[in-house]
Amino acid sequence: MRLDSLTRTPTRLMAALLAAGAIGGAGVSAVGFAHSRVQAQPAPAVMAAAPGAAVALPDFSSITRRYGPAVVNISTVGSTQVADADDDSGGAAAGLPNDPFFEFFKRFEQQQGGGRGRAPKATPSRGVGSGFIVSPDGLIMTNAHVVKGAKEVTVKLTDRRELRAKVLGADPKTDIAVLKVDAQNLPVVTLGKSTDLNVGEWVLAIGSPFGFENTVTAGVVSAKGRALPDDSAVPFIQTDVAVNPGNSGGPLFNAKGEVVGINSQIYSRTGGYQGVSFAIPIDLATKIRQQIVAHGKVEHARLGVSIQDVNQALADSFKLGAPEGALVANVEKGGPAAKAGLESGDVIRAINGQPVVTSADLPAFVALATPGDTVKLDVWRQGSTRQITATLGGAADKAQKVADAAGAAPQGRLGLALRPLQPEERAEAGVPGGLVVQEASGAAETAGVQAGDLLLAVNGTPVRSIDQVRSAVGKADRSVALLVQRGDNRIFVPVPLG
């Protein structure tokens, strides 16, 4: 959830992918902040303590004093489409689908009501976020959603000067934007390396939650490389730093006073902080900034696959020694992966020698690559390892999809009534073979398979007949992995067997 506007209830990703649910939202206001003016100078390094020795806490006051002046307030003026005030359709909350993946707090936007057929009206909207200065001549980094739809952007410094800012470029895919103000000799932050962060390390945020200006909060790195449902290309830094609406675009500092991330999203059931916050790694943000400054746009690398995590049931199905890797659920026709020879059912276990432990590791690597780069993939296929070389393409607004298979169902029979596809059904679905699920019960139903789904493969082997399915299930030990297509989406569903 974007900090200045969004929350989202966590849920299983399988339902979202198979159902292909849309995303909508309702309006909410945001607040901003200001910071005290101080002299900028390098922060002292924190010495590592010997094992068993007492560990001193970082000097948060020193970091705030030295780098607070480089954190700025960003206010925007834009417009939004809202329904007529006397519309009897129920207003902004009307018509929201009963889907836990809906963004039910969406910045500067209200759901359009359909009552009386009246056209929505454009009304002024204002928002406030934050950012930080990265060059003395006025280059500023923030979140793309902070300046989305803005017609005017104003930057307020801690010495209370207000400067009109130009948006040099914004990349919605990574939620990074770069601004420029006409000024010289501005205070700047020091950029660190997010790759050097360790889980459990102290981090610090500066922002203005709920309008409380110059608020400093601290916590630890809870995890690294987190993939979220709405943005699998960003390997988020998860922290327990208290961030709330108003912190968007603000810096996340390490104990040395170096910026290691940009506070961007939270998970919350209430709209406020609940201990789970996410920041964009500064390594990725810097790469995006450099492209925006140089070219005014961003090109993302793309492998052209849909992937999902390998849980224990899938590992058993594919005879993997450990539940690790990125399972290829679908390969985009004519894409880089297809040209390289990747197939549905492959498990990518390493890329350029770097282990792929979870599916999030793959898009995290690709996000830092450039279109045209060549990568070497270690792939597990049909019980053996092989190496495949692929040339990454341009994203062209097609993000990799990360699916999350349904949890293990209770043991039992497969529970599927199947029939072959008719020729016209194959043509309509765009598949060379497969079977139609006429009825799902038992273990398959519990795993998430539904009537009307197409069963394309079992344990990575394409199926065209019911006998093939029986044979594959008969050879399986504890579970089978069913490649299921629903609409245009595909996912491997692990089904434990009794």
Side-chain angles (χ1 to χ4, degrees):
M1 297 65 275
R2 291 167 177 172
L3 296 180
D4 60 351
S5 59
L6 302 181
T7 60
R8 178 168 297 156
T9 305
T11 188
R12 293 186 304 176
L13 297 182
M14 175 192 171
L17 284 176
L18 293 184
I23 295 178
V28 68
S29 297
V31 291
F33 71 93
H35 300 276
S36 59
R37 183 182 184 186
V38 292
Q39 183 177 0
Q41 52 184 303
V46 178
M47 300 300 294
V55 179
L57 292 177
D59 187 352
F60 297 136
S61 63
S62 176
I63 295 172
T64 305
R65 194 166 53 246
R66 286 173 169 83
Y67 296 107
V71 184
V72 301
N73 179 299
I74 300 173
S75 60
T76 64
V77 177
S79 62
T80 187
Q81 300 290 322
V82 298
D84 199 322
D86 61 356
D87 190 342
D88 61 2
S89 64
L96 286 177
N98 183 23
D99 189 328
F101 261 76
F102 259 73
E103 298 171 341
F104 53 91
F105 288 118
K106 188 175 183 182
R107 179 179 177 77
F108 300 146
E109 185 172 294
Q110 291 182 333
Q111 181 100 349
Q112 298 179 11
R116 304 184 186 177
R118 297 186 179 182
K121 298 188 297 185
T123 60
S125 63
R126 298 179 182 272
V128 182
S130 57
F132 51 96
I133 307 170
V134 294
S135 70
D137 61 351
L139 211 60
I140 296 169
M141 296 183 68
T142 186
N143 285 148
H145 72 264
V146 169
V147 295
K148 180 181 179 180
K151 296 181 179 179
E152 296 180 9
V153 180
T154 302
V155 169
K156 184 178 180 180
L157 308 179
T158 54
D159 61 9
R160 305 197 63 78
R161 281 186 293 166
E162 296 186 9
L163 305 173
R164 184 63 60 86
K166 177 183 179 181
V167 179
L168 297 184
D171 180 42
K173 184 179 178 66
T174 56
D175 198 21
I176 297 296
V178 180
L179 314 181
K180 182 70 169 63
V181 295
D182 187 11
Q184 299 294 326
N185 302 319
L186 295 175
V188 298
V189 298
T190 297
L191 302 182
K193 292 184 177 180
S194 49
T195 51
D196 292 340
L197 272 178
N198 295 311
V199 175
E201 183 176 336
W202 283 102
V203 281
L204 175 79
I206 300 177
S208 184
F210 304 113
F212 294 104
E213 297 183 355
N214 222 20
T215 296
V216 178
T217 53
V220 298
V221 176
S222 303
K224 295 174 61 179
R226 291 295 199 206
L228 302 185
D230 58 347
D231 203 337
S232 62
V234 176
F236 283 99
I237 302 167
Q238 180 184 333
T239 77
D240 69 349
V241 178
V243 290
N244 282 287
N247 284 102
S248 265
L252 182 73
F253 294 93
N254 63 14
K256 298 178 182 179
E258 300 168 334
V259 175
V260 291
I262 303 178
N263 295 311
S264 176
Q265 302 194 37
I266 60 174
Y267 264 171
S268 176
R269 295 180 183 273
T270 64
Y273 168 75
Q274 289 188 300
V276 184
S277 308
F278 298 96
I280 302 166
I282 197 62
D283 298 353
L284 173 59
T286 298
K287 173 182 170 66
I288 300 301
R289 184 199 79 204
Q290 291 170 344
Q291 289 194 54
I292 289 176
V293 172
H295 309 294
K297 62 179 182 178
V298 178
E299 291 187 0
H300 292 284
R302 178 174 58 90
L303 183 57
V305 293
S306 297
I307 56 176
Q308 65 186 88
D309 263 335
V310 177
N311 59 20
Q312 188 61 60
L314 289 172
D316 294 340
S317 301
F318 288 96
K319 302 188 184 305
L320 287 164
E324 298 178 351
L327 173 59
V328 178
N330 188 39
V331 179
E332 177 188 316
K333 292 182 180 179
K339 293 177 181 178
L342 274 174
E343 299 176 0
S344 177
D346 287 345
V347 180
I348 301 174
R349 308 179 73 180
I351 180 168
N352 282 1
Q354 296 187 20
V356 176
V357 179
T358 71
S359 61
D361 294 336
L362 182 64
F365 184 97
V366 174
L368 291 172
T370 301
D373 286 353
T374 299
V375 295
K376 294 183 178 180
L377 305 172
D378 291 342
V379 174
W380 178 265
R381 179 186 296 172
Q382 299 295 334
S384 62
T385 301
R386 63 185 65 193
Q387 193 171 81
I388 293 177
T389 301
T391 300
L392 300 177
D397 297 327
K398 294 182 180 180
Q400 287 180 326
K401 300 177 182 178
V402 177
D404 187 7
Q411 291 187 353
R413 61 188 181 87
L414 187 59
L416 289 179
L418 304 166
R419 68 167 176 81
L421 273 76
Q422 298 299 319
E424 60 272 16
E425 291 177 319
R426 289 199 300 269
E428 182 179 357
V431 295
L435 302 166
V436 178
V437 177
Q438 291 185 301
E439 182 181 350
S441 61
E445 181 185 30
T446 306
V449 182
Q450 299 179 9
D453 290 344
L454 301 183
L455 176 60
L456 303 180
V458 177
N459 292 345
T461 301
V463 293
R464 294 173 177 266
S465 69
I466 297 175
D467 288 340
Q468 285 181 295
V469 176
R470 289 197 184 103
S471 176
V473 173
K475 296 176 183 178
D477 295 326
R478 290 178 293 179
S479 65
V480 291
L482 308 181
L483 180 58
V484 174
Q485 177 169 318
R486 184 177 300 167
D488 294 328
N489 299 293
R490 294 183 183 182
I491 188 173
F492 275 99
V493 180
V495 181
L497 301 175

